[in-house]
C-alpha cells in the first residue's frame, strides 16, 4: 500500500483533525520578535524556600524521586548541595534582621580597623621624619650616631 506524501492535502487534513475535503483556513503564524530586550535575572531563594526544598529532598527515599524534585523546582544537584552546605554552616534559619545586623557590625569593625591603620601610618610617617631630622642635626654638629643600648 502506498501512502501519499506528508504535505498531501489528505494527510494535512487528517493531522489537523479535519475530514478529507473540508475547507481549510490558513491562520497566520505569529513569529516572535528576534530582538531580545530583557536580560535574564538570576533566581534568588529565600531561606524559607531553601529549607522547604531541603525538607522535600530529605524525604525522598525512592529511586528517581530526587530527580523529579529537582526537575519540578528547576534546580541543579549542585544547587541542592549548596543549600545543604549553607544549612550545615548555620546560614539558613536565621532571622534576616539578625543577618543584616551581623553585616553592619562587620562593616563597622572594618571601618574602625581602616581608621586605626590610617592613624598608625600617619604616626609612623611623623616618626620617620623626626628620625631623619635627628640624623641631619647630628651630622651638622659632627656628633657620632650611636646605636641605642639594648635593654
Amino acid at each position: 500500500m502506498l501512502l501519499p506524501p506528508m504535505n498531501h492535502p489528505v494527510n494535512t487534513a487528517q493531522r489537523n483533525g479535519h475530514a478529507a475535503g473540508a475547507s481549510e483556513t490558513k491562520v497566520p503564524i505569529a513569529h516572535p520578535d528576534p530582538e531580545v530586550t530583557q536580560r535574564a535575572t538570576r533566581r534568588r531563594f529565600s531561606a524559607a524556600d531553601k529549607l522547604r526544598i531541603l525538607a522535600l529532598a530529605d524525604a525522598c527515599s525512592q529511586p528517581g524521586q530526587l530527580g523529579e524534585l529537582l526537575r519540578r523546582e528547576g534546580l541543579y544537584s549542585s544547587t541542592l548541595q549548596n543549600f545543604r552546605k549553607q544549612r550545615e554552616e548555620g546560614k539558613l534559619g536565621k532571622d534576616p534582621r539578625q543577618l543584616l545586623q551581623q553585616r553592619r557590625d562587620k562593616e563597622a569593625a572594618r571601618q574602625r580597623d581602616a581608621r586605626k591603620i590610617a592613624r598608625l601610618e600617619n604616626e609612623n610617617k611623623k616618626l620617620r621624619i623626626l628620625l631623619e631630622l635627628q640624623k641631619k642635626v647630628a651630622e651638622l654638629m659632627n656628633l657620632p650616631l650611636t646605636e641605642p643600648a639594648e635593654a
Side-chain angles (χ1 to χ4, degrees), residues 31-148:
H31 295 286
D33 185 15
E35 185 175 331
V36 178
T37 57
Q38 262 186 339
R39 262 187 81 113
T41 57
R42 190 174 283 216
R43 289 174 60 187
R44 296 188 183 268
F45 294 94
S46 66
D49 286 337
K50 292 177 184 180
L51 290 172
R52 177 186 59 82
I53 292 169
L54 286 172
L56 290 173
D58 292 340
C60 294
S61 60
Q62 299 295 321
Q65 282 183 335
L66 186 59
E68 180 184 341
L69 171 69
L70 292 175
R71 284 189 298 276
R72 184 175 60 235
E73 295 291 337
L75 298 174
Y76 292 106
S77 60
S78 61
T79 307
L80 188 62
Q81 289 301 104
N82 288 338
F83 290 174
R84 286 181 175 144
K85 183 178 177 184
Q86 290 173 357
R87 180 176 61 184
E88 289 170 6
E89 292 173 353
K91 292 183 179 178
L92 298 181
K94 288 188 178 180
D95 185 24
R97 291 172 287 188
Q98 183 183 7
L99 292 173
L100 182 62
Q101 185 61 41
Q102 286 177 349
R103 280 190 220 125
R104 286 180 182 160
D105 292 344
K106 285 181 184 178
E107 179 63 22
R110 190 193 63 77
Q111 288 178 356
R112 235 184 350 264
D113 292 344
R115 285 192 301 269
K116 184 177 180 180
I117 289 171
R119 182 175 43 82
L120 290 173
E121 285 176 348
N122 192 17
E123 186 177 330
N124 191 5
K125 185 178 177 182
K126 288 177 185 177
L127 290 174
R128 286 181 188 272
I129 292 171
L130 284 174
L131 227 139
E132 291 297 320
L133 181 64
Q134 284 179 345
K135 288 179 185 177
K136 288 180 183 179
V137 168
E139 187 179 303
L140 288 174
M141 299 177 73
N142 290 329
L143 296 174
L145 291 176
T146 59
E147 295 294 321

Side-chain angles (χ1 to χ4, degrees), residues 5-28:
M6 289 305 292
N7 60 356
H8 191 270
V10 173
N11 283 342
T12 306
Q14 288 173 349
R15 273 197 319 268
N16 292 336
H18 300 294
S23 65
E24 292 185 33
T25 58
K26 293 190 177 186
V27 177

